Amino acid sequence: MPTPPTDATTTGTPGPSRRRVLAAMAAALPVSGLLALGDSPAYAAPAAKALPGGGDLGPNVLVFDPSTPNIQGKLDEIFKQQESAQFGTGRYALLFKPGTYNGLNAQLGFYTSIAGLGLSPDDTTFNGDVTVDAGWFNGNATQNFWRSAENLALNPVNGTNRWAVAQAAPFRRMHVKGGLNLAPDGYGWASGGYIADSRIDGAVSPYSQQQWYTRDSSVGSWSNAVWNMVFSGVEGAPGQTFPDPPYTTLERTPVSREKPFLYLDGSEYKVFLPEKRTNARGTTWGNGTARGESLPLSQFYVAKPGVDAATLNAALEQGLHLLLTPGIYHVDRPIDVQRANTVVLGLGYATVIPDNGVTALKVADVDGVRLAGLLIDAGTVNSTTLLEIGPEGASRDHAANPTTVQDVFVRIGGAGPGKATTSMVINSNDTIVDHTWVWRADHGDGVGWDTNRADYGVRVNGDGVLATGLFVEHFNKYDVEWHGEGGRTIFFQNEKAYDAPNQAAIQNGSIKGYAAYKIADSVTTHEGWGMGSYCYYNVDPTIRQDHGFQAPNTPAVKFNNLLVVSLGGKGQYEHVINNIGAPTSGTSTVPSTVVSYP
């Protein structure tokens, strides 16, 4: 994200479809680690040694209890290492056993996750803060990526906790017994963000935050907005007022299922799997124990960096789930999830890099897979896809038990050259993509129009797919391309690629520029709420983009509350959606909006 121009302003205080009727064969169950019985055992191949489940969490998972000495010193040590390590290799998960911790200020840098180990956030209480600020970047929080807080209760020292983040920085299952300030010290720019399943007793103050999505939570109040603030299922949310102020408010979230999380049951680690909710509102944990099921850690293969894809796949074939501890994992073949209800959970931004142009992770067309807490980083050889949910032509109905993709982030370039034709492909019906940032890097190492070439960000072919919190940026062609029926997106944030060398480089037939979010002409049903696209063509500021959104003109393809923005006049949009909506103009960084389409 760039630093927006200084004349950008805030408001308020500163600071059944065709695919479903296709016949589908039932997915074959994977072979277990045991030999099949046969007439001639002498000819049977020897059984592979079974991989163990459970085990220790490795050196980059730090577990604290209230009696641990010098907790603050260890927190400060990790923060010093990670504060400005935007493209570094360090990965950490800081886990706190249930209890009360006094006088802590856990400052979080890059690739650092902090979480309580209780079943409820209130089981683990900080009389103190979990802080993200932007001192490392001169008060500008637009690059405070890749960090997270989960499952803690906070009593902030000064009454308000600071969480000044940008993309890929989820705040989940948190209870703030006070206020929450989403801006950096000095009210510098910020570009977040995402809150889910959380309760903030006091005021949430976004100040300079450009956009934000809050889901299935409770807030005491919400004080202001810049361009795009979206709420679904949030108690205490402001009413629907887009575009002035730019609040998009849905009373309920159509379908949600919270992210799996690690917790302690006595002295035993387990992973809790929250149940699916429909028409959700408020937190899952506010009225007694959250509903769901638990899996003991012994049912997970606990992976450490250096393990190869063959071993990960052997664990999956054996019937284990995967827990990827913090670190970097190179894979020379896809991690291949074939079994229904498999969990793949990463801790501390566990990062998967595909080598030799393979797909990093593939999921079969099965029910109820949960992918969560992973960063997929493109390799130097072009991958056709990086993440594939369901094979091409997937047609089974998963509405009762969908696959969820949560806090799974994709990066092409930045940490070094990377390439991918299409980053994320969703073929399975009814998939829920809950908070993702799919990013073709605009800064860092290995960045350039062809150096980190990535034509398409997210392509949706499945029917009934729901995206809640969809951040997709800087792709050479379409950022999002949607072919499935019955799709829905609640909150979309986009920037077009900054580095287009000239108008010809982005020409799309007779259309100037590729839309940020395109609905295929064949689609008859789709809906979106609270969606924005920004341009910042800093190589050639004369570039014109016909529109941010492109969709067929049919009654059941509907959009609510769209905006496009030219950041400081670096390129302009002619329209918002198709040929509808006023152009952006000049350097004023004022959004052009469309409240409803068609």
Side-chain angles (χ1 to χ4, degrees):
M1 302 289 295
T3 304
T6 56
D7 58 352
T9 59
T10 67
T11 62
T13 308
S17 70
R18 172 186 56 83
R19 301 178 79 254
R20 289 189 188 275
V21 299
L22 297 175
M25 297 296 291
L29 292 173
V31 177
S32 72
L34 302 176
L35 286 173
L37 295 176
D39 291 333
S40 305
Y43 292 97
K49 184 178 180 181
L51 292 163
D56 73 88
L57 299 176
N60 290 342
V61 177
L62 284 72
V63 181
F64 303 94
D65 65 46
S67 67
T68 302
N70 195 23
I71 297 173
Q72 188 66 56
K74 179 55 71 173
L75 296 176
D76 291 347
E77 176 189 335
I78 293 170
F79 177 65
K80 183 177 180 181
Q81 176 183 320
Q82 298 300 115
E83 180 182 11
S84 58
Q86 183 172 176
F87 298 110
T89 59
R91 303 286 188 275
Y92 291 95
L94 313 176
L95 305 182
F96 287 78
K97 294 181 180 181
T100 300
Y101 299 79
N102 294 315
L104 292 183
N105 181 18
Q107 299 182 82
L108 298 188
F110 288 98
Y111 314 108
T112 305
S113 299
I114 190 168
L117 285 170
L119 198 51
S120 165
D122 290 331
D123 293 341
T124 311
T125 297
F126 278 23
N127 291 316
D129 298 77
V130 172
T131 301
V132 177
D133 206 345
W136 75 278
F137 201 45
N138 300 314
N140 179 345
T142 59
Q143 293 183 23
N144 279 353
F145 313 138
W146 304 307
R147 62 201 75 195
S148 67
E150 296 185 50
N151 206 30
L152 292 165
L154 307 178
N155 284 303
V157 170
N158 295 319
T160 299
N161 189 78
R162 187 184 302 278
W163 185 255
V165 298
Q167 289 81 355
F171 196 80
R172 287 185 181 269
R173 202 177 174 79
M174 296 288 287
H175 184 191
V176 181
K177 299 178 180 181
L180 187 64
N181 181 349
L182 302 179
D185 187 24
Y187 305 102
W189 287 105
S191 180
Y194 176 90
I195 294 171
D197 200 24
S198 294
R199 189 167 87 200
I200 294 88
D201 294 343
V204 181
S205 302
Y207 297 116
S208 54
Q209 281 286 355
Q210 297 164 346
Q211 68 277 316
W212 199 276
Y213 176 49
T214 307
R215 178 182 63 72
D216 299 353
S217 294
S218 173
V219 300
S221 63
W222 191 280
S223 63
N224 73 287
V226 178
W227 294 333
N228 191 30
M229 299 285 161
V230 180
F231 309 85
S232 69
V234 178
E235 298 167 343
Q240 169 70 40
T241 55
F242 186 93
D244 187 21
Y247 294 140
T248 298
T249 302
L250 287 74
E251 285 295 308
R252 298 183 177 274
T253 304
V255 187
S256 62
R257 189 174 67 189
E258 299 302 332
K259 178 177 174 285
F261 62 92
L262 189 69
Y263 77 102
L264 274 172
D265 183 2
S267 61
E268 182 183 6
Y269 284 107
K270 293 182 177 180
V271 173
F272 190 76
L273 309 179
E275 72 174 13
K276 187 188 76 170
R277 298 198 293 170
T278 57
N279 296 316
R281 182 172 173 84
T283 68
T284 63
W285 50 269
N287 296 304
T289 303
R291 296 173 64 90
E293 62 176 315
S294 293
L295 299 175
L297 195 62
S298 60
Q299 293 185 18
F300 285 78
Y301 178 72
V302 180
K304 310 294 198 307
V307 69
D308 59 15
T311 303
L312 296 174
N313 286 334
L316 291 169
E317 290 168 6
Q318 189 178 305
L320 294 170
H321 307 277
L322 296 182
L323 183 76
L324 274 61
T325 64
I328 296 174
Y329 298 76
H330 282 265
V331 296
D332 61 357
R333 67 198 71 180
I335 300 171
D336 195 6
V337 179
Q338 293 285 330
R339 190 180 71 256
N341 302 310
T342 299
V343 180
V344 180
L345 176 62
L347 301 179
Y349 288 81
T351 301
V352 180
I353 302 177
D355 294 331
N356 304 318
V358 303
T359 299
L361 198 158
K362 291 185 176 183
V363 178
D365 192 24
V366 295
D367 274 355
V369 172
R370 305 183 195 225
L371 309 180
L374 302 170
L375 172 60
I376 298 174
D377 207 353
T380 56
V381 178
N382 185 74
S383 293
T384 302
T385 60
L386 293 172
L387 174 63
E388 183 180 287
I389 308 300
E392 184 177 354
S395 59
R396 300 178 65 181
D397 188 323
H398 304 292
N401 185 14
T403 285
T404 47
V405 181
Q406 300 178 280
D407 299 347
V408 175
F409 309 117
V410 179
R411 179 173 68 193
I412 303 94
K419 294 185 178 183
T421 304
T422 306
S423 294
M424 183 185 296
V425 179
I426 309 295
N427 292 317
S428 286
N429 296 325
D430 310 301
T431 300
I432 300 172
V433 180
D434 176 45
H435 190 227
T436 188
W437 185 38
V438 183
W439 185 55
R440 175 183 168 264
D442 61 276
H443 63 270
D445 293 333
V447 171
W449 184 248
D450 290 310
T451 305
N452 61 328
R453 182 82 189 187
D455 283 352
Y456 308 104
V458 176
R459 178 176 290 136
V460 179
N461 298 318
D463 295 336
V465 172
L466 170 66
T468 52
L470 184 61
F471 300 72
V472 188
E473 296 189 300
H474 306 309
F475 286 84
N476 296 76
K477 293 184 179 179
Y478 295 119
D479 298 277
V480 174
E481 193 175 8
W482 208 294
H483 296 268
E485 290 287 355
R488 294 173 290 186
T489 294
I490 305 172
F491 182 89
F492 172 67
Q493 186 266 325
N494 166 262
E495 288 181 352
K496 295 303 301 174
Y498 300 163
D499 54 349
N502 48 53
Q503 188 76 50
I506 63 164
Q507 193 68 17
N508 181 15
S510 62
I511 299 173
K512 290 179 284 189
Y514 289 79
Y517 191 102
K518 174 182 167 57
I519 305 299
D521 291 344
S522 60
V523 171
T524 60
T525 57
H526 189 92
E527 191 160 10
W529 297 263
M531 306 174 71
S533 177
Y534 320 152
C535 74
Y536 186 73
Y537 288 116
N538 60 346
V539 175
D540 182 358
T542 69
I543 288 175
R544 311 291 294 192
Q545 175 88 21
D546 263 345
H547 43 236
F549 301 86
Q550 184 179 351
N553 184 11
T554 186
V557 173
K558 299 183 286 187
F559 288 94
N560 311 274
N561 305 342
L562 301 178
L563 69 142
V564 295
V565 183
S566 169
L567 301 180
K570 303 292 187 182
Q572 302 289 343
Y573 291 91
E574 305 283 12
H575 305 283
V576 179
I577 180 167
N578 298 347
N579 62 352
I580 298 169
T584 57
S585 60
T587 60
S588 59
T589 314
V590 174
S592 179
T593 63
V594 167
V595 173
S596 63
Y597 171 90

